[in-house]
Structures are given as C-alpha cells and as structure tokens.
Amino acid sequence: MVIQVENLSKIYRINQKTPGLGGALKSLFRPQYLDKVAVDGISFEVGQGEIVGYIGVNGAGKSTTIKMLTGILAPTTGSVRVLGRDPHQERVANAREIGAVFGQRTQLWWDLALIESLNMIGKLYDLPPAHYRDQLARFTEMLDLGEILHIPIRNMSLGQKMRAELAATLIHDPKVVYLDEPTIGLDLMVKEKIRAFIKQENRERGITVVLTTHDLGDIEELCQRVIMIDMGKVIYDGALQTIRDRFGKYRTITLELSAMLGTGDLDLLDDTEIEAIDGHKWRIRFDRTRTSASKVAAHVMNQVDVNDFSLTEPDLTGIVKQIYQGALNDIKVSTGELAQVTV
Amino acid sequence: MTHYLSLYGLFLRQRFKILMEYRMNFLIGATSTIILQGASLLTITVVMSQIPHLNGWTLEAIFLIYGLITLAKSINHMFADNLWTIGGQYIRTGMFDRFLVRPVDPLFHLLADRFCHDGIGNFLVGSALVAYAWHALAIPLTVFNLIYLIVMVISGGLIFIALNLITAVSAFWVIESVPVTRAIFDNHLFAQYPLTIYPQAIGILLTWVIPYGFASFYPASYLLGQEVGLLAFLSPIVAIVLLSLSYRFWRFGLRHYAGTGS
Ligand SMILES: Nc1ncnc2c1ncn2[C@@H]1O[C@H](COP(=O)(O)OP(=O)(O)OP(=O)(O)O)[C@@H](O)[C@H]1O
Ligand SMILES: [Mg+2]
C-alpha cells in the first residue's frame, strides 16, 4: 500500500478571544479554547497507481486530511504512512517522493520567469541535470509550456498558471501526488488538458493520485474510486460505479408522445412519477432498482404511440446531494448503511 | 551542507535579478537605511558636543559601540529579515505550507527566500563607524584584534537572529508575531550605548536575559582596554547556546503548526 491511514484525527485548537483589555488579560491567564474536530477518526488505504477522488462539502475536512498526508500538519491522533514513512516525522525524505498542488496558490516565484522557477525547483530537489532536462522537455510538450516558459508568473492567466504549477509539482518525478482542487476556476478546455495530463502521468509513470475537487467532472473523468467525507468522517469509500448504482436509483426517461394527453389520461406503473409534461414530451422518473426503462416505455407504448424516447444518465451532482442530505438528516443510519457499501 | 550553500547562492542570484528589475526600489531600500542611520548619528553627535563625556565615554568610544551593534543588526537584517514576516507573508498566504513539502529544512528555506538588501546600508554605516572609531581611538590594528572583531560581529549577528527566531516561533500559535518580536528586539536600543550609563537592572537584563550587550558593549570594552573580564570573550558561546535553544524551540513550534484554513 502506498498510503495507509489509520484512525486519523485532527483537532484544531482555536483560541477564543474576548474583546477588550479585560478579555485580553483573562485569555492570557486562563486561555479559552474551542476545539474544532476537522478530521474524525478516518481510515483508508490507497494502492500504487490508484487515482482516488476525495470529496465532500466545504469544511468537510478534505484539505486538513491532505495536509496530514503531505506532512504539513501533525495528526492529533492516529497514524499516516506514505511509502512506509511517517510524513510528518520524516518530512524531508517524504517530500522527495511526493508532489502537491494547493488550489489557487502557486508554488512558483511571482516575479521569476517560469523556466527560472523550474530551474530553482530542480535544484531544490537536487535533480540530476540530464533527468531534469528530460522532464522539462516532456512537460513542455504535454502541457504546452513553450509559449509561457519565459513569462513571469505574475503575468500568467489562471489556466497558464495551473499548467505551470503542474509542471513544477511533477518535475521531480514524485510517486504520490496530492491535488487539492487543481481545476478550481478553470475553463473547460484547460480542465480537459489537465485531466488528460494527470491521466497520462498515472498510466505511464504509475503515479498514485489523491484528488480533491468540487468538480464532479474531474471525478468522473479520472477516478475509479471515491472516498467521501462529511464532518470529518468517511461516509463512503468505494467504486464510483457503486455510488452511481446505489444512489443513482432514479433515472428519467423522456417520451415524445404522438398525441397531447392530460395527466389522468395515461396509466403509469408503480415506482414511477411524472417529473414534467412539456407538450408532447413527458418526462417520467423511475426507480431503476424496481423497474426498468424498457418496462416503463412498453407500458406507455401499450396505451399511446410514441415517436421518440431518450434516457438520462444519473447525474453525480444529484447523487452527491442525496448522500449529503442523508448524511446530514440521519447520520447514524446512513453511516452504517454506507459503510457496508465499501467495495 | 554544500547543497545548502549552493542553494543559498542560487536564491541570492535570483533575488538580485528581481531586485534589478525593480531598480528604484533597490536603491531606495539600500539608501534609506543609510539616511535613517545618519539621522540618529547626528543626534548622538549633537548631544555629545554638549557633554563631551558620557559617564567617562567619549564620542568616539560610543561610535565604536554603536558601530558594532549596527554591524550585528545588519547581519540579522540582511540574512534573517523574514523572521519578521513569517506570519503575514508566509503562514497567512500558505507559502509556509509549501516550504513544508519541499526536501529542505523549512527554516533554511524561509531565510534563503529573501535576502534583504535594506540591510546593506546598515552594514556600510556600521563598518564606517567602526573604522572611524578604530582609527580615532588608536586601537592597535593587529591580526588578533581583527579576528576578534570579525568573530564578535558574527556572534552579535547570531544573537540578533536567535532572539528574533525565538519570538518568531510565536507565529505558529498567533500567526502575527511582529508585536512579540518587536517587544524583545527594541531592547537592543539600550545596547547602542555603554551599559554602565543605565541602572544596574538594565545592565543585567542586557547581559543575561536579552543579551544584546554581547553584540556591542563587551567587545567594545575589550577593544578599548577596559576590564570586563571573561565577558569580553563570551559572545560566541552566548550566540551558540542561544541559537541551539531557539532552533529547538522552533522545532517544538513546528509540531504545533496548524496553518490557516483553506
Ligand atoms: N488552521 C485552521 N485552524 C482552525 N480551524 C481550521 C483550520 N483549517 C481548517 N479549519 C477548520 O476545519 C474544518 C475543515 O477544514 P478543511 O479546510 O479541511 O475543509 P475542506 O474539506 O478542505 O473544505 P473546502 O472544500 O472548503 O476546501 C473547517 O471547519 C475549517 O473551518
Ligand atoms: Mg479545502
């Protein structure tokens, strides 16, 4: 296993300040703390070459987890092992093997041309010059860096910056890469390019990737496996497909009828429900674990001629919303239930 | 070690490249410290012209003390100015997180990240003052005295750096460490003058608690042939002890580092 996380927790201790001089004195002699449990006893493992999507709502504890995995923060309790090392205790040795992207923050020097920043990073990692040149040539081609190599970071667009950032993160050939919201704020074209790059590095170099994102497109494109956390706890860990199957219970079939009909004119099966009627078009939602698209369609076709029909795939946004709602309304049940889904 | 040295050289080259891009900034930074120092030196000269002796210390002797502490301070200023800005410029912005995922010591990375050219002005003023006082006071220019001077200036610089490091560690808890650093740092102003002009408590404070005295008063006393006993040679030891304590404290703080949200 490349990453082993066991019972990991992080509690932030926030100093409560009371306003005024009296408050300042009080907090000096009897400090008031507020403990914020950001990560709450999570466990998981990630194997070599996996791309894992690590998702959850704002404040769920994703970045905090990533910071413990990279060695930036010490865990409050529990343990992390990355390639057999404790990333916080053996931070320098760990740093050689990993790469990390943090959202909109850049690791490049604001005023230096990209090529100079990359040279600096090459030196920081003590890369053999030949190896460095190979990597640079590879990335220049794959990430289209040619035209931005001599521009300082401060003059780059967001998309250019992120491509530069990825090159800087992977130039030392890390085995494990943590990407905390790497596509935030980017347009679709750049997103696609970045996804393709990550995919290729994963396929050809076998890098292991932990990816945090709010963009489900990233997940669908890159991950076979998803870990979902909520309020610091893992509420789902398993195949993306299983989430789809289990939570994408409802699908929508759209039928174009040959005649205009009213709601009462058509008999519908159980486990179905009219979502909308728009002239000749009927959108019917059905529970695909209890019935099937063909049954629903056949039942309608027996009553009226159908010109055309189409099926909408379950949308991950909807699925995630469902899980969140479940997790928030009824956390015990859903945690128990969800834990069994683990593949 | 050689890796770190060559890295420092690289950082320095890049830094100057950037500084040259903002040439005006560079010149203003380097000269403004000279002007500031000039103003305070003028004050001393004016005051001393009224009272030719301050507790038995001549203007030239005070220039020597003043020059020594200015040199020590300039070392801190040039090489460790980022200890002031760690909270605002590095922790708050997340840049410090970045240092923690690079395969070098984060303290080294922090210091190497910004050589502060404003300190060059201080270094020049300090050198000029010491040279002038040295000449005026007819201090023998022996090899031993020269080595003594260099060792004392470096020790003094390290004492400044160590004290700033100890106070900068508070940034790991409160993020903005400047008020804490300033509260200790400002005590060096006492050490611009002979410690004997103050009440005894201040002399003790500046010797054994916040030992800026070892960056100026004791080495100057020795060079002037005043009897200060072993204290004349203690600066390097004070510097080393203080540095190792402060580095330990830094490591301790690092374990409590929580960064900032998002
Ligand atoms: N340095 C910190 N000090 C105190 N509390 C923090 C700190 N960092 C994060 N938190 C809190 O811990 C919780 C988890 O934060 P975290 O940044 O890990 O969430 P996240 O899942 O990455 O959210 P987002 O999607 O918004 O990036 C939040 O409630 C946050 O306010
Ligand atoms: Mg986050």
Side-chain angles (χ1 to χ4, degrees):
Chain A
M1 283 295 142
V2 170
I3 301 174
Q4 290 167 294
V5 172
E6 238 183 86
N7 233 330
L8 182 67
S9 296
K10 181 72 194 180
I11 301 174
Y12 290 111
R13 173 151 280 198
I14 302 163
N15 210 333
Q16 292 293 96
K17 285 189 189 128
T18 357
L21 182 66
L25 281 176
K26 205 156 87 193
S27 74
L28 188 64
F29 291 108
R30 200 144 35 87
Q32 300 276 311
Y33 294 116
L34 183 81
D35 281 347
K36 166 80 201 166
V37 183
V39 171
D40 191 1
I42 61 172
S43 303
F44 59 84
E45 292 188 337
V46 179
Q48 201 256 318
E50 270 193 276
I51 303 184
V52 176
Y54 196 62
I55 60 180
V57 289
N58 290 124
K62 303 180 295 294
S63 296
T64 303
T65 310
I66 302 276
K67 285 181 189 171
M68 289 191 282
L69 292 177
T70 50
I72 293 170
L73 298 184
T76 307
T77 58
S79 78
V80 181
R81 298 247 131 205
V82 175
L83 299 163
R85 293 192 196 91
D86 178 329
H88 187 74
Q89 299 278 329
E90 300 158 79
R91 206 162 27 77
V92 171
N94 178 62
R96 284 187 196 288
E97 313 264 26
I98 67 157
V101 169
F102 295 104
Q104 282 173 322
R105 289 174 183 170
T106 179
Q107 66 161 305
L108 301 161
W109 284 263
W110 202 243
D111 290 311
L112 293 183
L114 174 57
I115 183 71
E116 283 176 308
S117 273
L118 291 175
N119 286 340
M120 293 275 278
I121 291 168
K123 291 276 164 41
L124 269 167
Y125 284 88
D126 214 0
L127 300 181
H131 180 65
Y132 170 74
R133 276 196 300 277
D134 285 352
Q135 289 283 87
L136 185 62
R138 218 158 58 80
F139 292 162
T140 306
E141 203 208 299
M142 286 167 69
L143 289 166
D144 248 345
L145 300 181
E147 86 244 34
I148 55 170
L149 227 37
H150 298 281
I151 303 181
I153 312 307
R154 60 164 194 263
N155 296 345
M156 285 187 189
S157 74
L158 206 55
Q160 292 174 328
K161 230 181 275 177
M162 188 45 75
R163 282 186 285 143
E165 187 71 16
L166 276 172
T169 301
L170 285 148
I171 198 104
H172 63 284
D173 224 349
K175 296 195 175 76
V176 189
V177 176
Y178 305 94
L179 306 170
D180 195 352
E181 305 197 28
T183 56
I184 189 166
L186 304 178
D187 69 37
L188 203 61
M189 280 252 293
V190 181
K191 272 183 188 170
E192 289 290 341
K193 192 170 272 176
I194 284 173
R195 288 169 188 163
F197 175 70
I198 295 167
K199 228 182 212 166
Q200 185 173 345
E201 285 296 289
N202 168 257
R203 206 175 39 233
E204 287 174 7
R205 305 239 146 187
I207 59 167
T208 305
V209 180
V210 177
L211 167 72
T212 287
T213 182
H214 290 287
D215 184 334
L216 297 166
D218 292 343
I219 302 283
E220 297 205 299
E221 189 84 9
L222 293 169
C223 309
Q224 286 88 50
R225 178 179 165 202
V226 163
I227 298 176
M228 192 178 295
I229 61 164
D230 194 53
M231 297 194 283
K233 288 198 168 75
V234 173
I235 60 167
Y236 177 81
D237 179 352
L240 179 63
Q241 191 55 45
T242 314
I243 292 200
R244 277 226 191 93
D245 293 347
R246 189 167 178 101
F247 297 96
K249 255 179 28 176
Y250 299 102
R251 285 194 183 187
T252 303
I253 184 166
T254 306
L255 299 148
E256 201 181 310
L257 309 184
S258 60
M260 290 283 270
L261 294 175
T263 345
D265 300 339
L266 204 60
D267 176 54
L268 290 177
L269 294 173
D270 292 343
D271 306 311
T272 61
E273 172 184 319
I274 299 169
E275 223 177 65
I277 301 173
D278 175 16
H280 290 263
K281 278 189 183 158
W282 283 50
R283 288 226 308 275
I284 301 170
R285 197 164 80 123
F286 63 96
D287 180 343
R288 63 185 277 270
T289 59
R290 291 169 185 268
T291 182
S292 69
S294 57
K295 275 187 192 151
V296 175
H299 189 72
V300 174
M301 284 177 203
N302 282 338
Q303 303 168 61
V304 61
D305 281 341
V306 172
N307 294 340
D308 195 12
F309 72 92
S310 63
L311 200 61
T312 319
E313 273 290 306
D315 171 15
L316 203 50
T317 319
I319 295 168
V320 167
K321 209 183 280 168
Q322 253 175 283
I323 295 181
Y324 287 157
Q325 277 160 0
L328 294 172
N329 296 339
D330 198 1
I331 185 132
K332 278 226 178 62
V333 176
S334 61
T335 313
E337 190 182 304
L338 284 162
Q340 291 167 11
V341 186
T342 308
V343 178
Chain B
M1 190 66 193
T2 51
H3 178 48
Y4 277 77
L5 275 178
S6 75
L7 273 182
Y8 198 90
L10 187 69
F11 272 93
L12 207 57
R13 278 202 297 283
Q14 297 295 5
R15 175 90 188 132
F16 274 98
K17 220 180 269 174
I18 293 170
L19 285 175
M20 286 306 126
E21 239 185 89
Y22 301 95
R23 202 159 301 158
M24 258 339 262
N25 236 337
F26 175 76
L27 289 175
I28 291 169
T31 49
S32 66
T33 43
I34 295 184
I35 294 168
L36 280 175
Q37 288 290 356
S40 40
L41 286 173
L42 200 65
T43 319
I44 297 177
T45 317
V46 169
V47 171
M48 289 301 286
S49 65
Q50 306 300 314
I51 35 162
H53 292 277
L54 184 63
N55 229 9
W57 296 78
T58 61
L59 178 65
E60 287 76 20
I62 289 175
F63 275 176
L64 182 64
I65 295 177
Y66 197 99
L68 283 174
I69 198 137
T70 303
L71 277 175
K73 188 162 62 169
S74 77
I75 290 179
N76 175 57
H77 199 169
M78 288 187 286
F79 298 105
D81 202 58
N82 262 352
L83 292 175
W84 288 95
T85 55
I86 177 172
Q89 301 281 311
Y90 291 89
I91 294 180
R92 213 184 286 285
T93 60
M95 198 58 198
F96 196 72
D97 284 358
R98 174 55 58 188
F99 291 171
L100 291 173
V101 293
R102 292 225 172 105
V104 289
D105 185 281
L107 180 58
F108 166 79
H109 205 325
L110 176 72
L111 298 186
D113 202 51
R114 193 171 62 94
F115 171 86
C116 185
H117 63 282
D118 297 359
I120 297 174
N122 274 339
F123 183 79
L124 295 177
V125 170
S127 306
L129 274 177
V130 169
Y132 167 76
W134 194 287
H135 177 77
L137 296 162
I139 298 167
L141 196 64
T142 62
V143 174
F144 180 83
N145 275 351
L146 271 182
I147 292 173
Y148 179 84
L149 175 71
I150 291 167
V151 169
M152 290 299 137
V153 166
I154 292 173
S155 303
L158 294 178
I159 289 171
F160 266 94
I161 292 173
L163 289 172
N164 273 12
L165 179 56
I166 289 175
T167 50
V169 171
S170 66
F172 291 135
W173 285 274
V174 298
I175 301 190
E176 194 46 86
S177 58
V178 169
V180 183
T181 301
R182 183 156 294 288
I184 300 299
F185 178 81
D186 279 351
N187 287 289
H188 88 272
L189 296 172
F190 289 119
Q192 291 178 340
Y193 301 96
L195 291 184
T196 49
I197 67 170
Y198 302 113
Q200 206 178 6
I202 290 184
I204 293 172
L205 180 78
L206 274 276
T207 306
W208 300 116
V209 186
I210 311 172
Y212 287 121
F214 288 104
S216 61
F217 176 68
Y218 294 114
S221 300
Y222 173 78
L223 287 171
L224 293 169
Q226 310 241 355
E227 185 50 55
V228 284
L230 220 55
L231 294 178
F233 299 98
L234 224 51
S235 303
I237 294 166
V238 171
I240 288 166
V241 169
L242 216 51
L243 260 187
S244 72
L245 280 178
S246 60
Y247 188 69
R248 243 177 245 193
F249 187 49
W250 162 269
R251 302 276 304 214
F252 171 77
L254 215 47
R255 281 201 293 280
H256 291 268
Y257 173 65
T260 50
S262 81

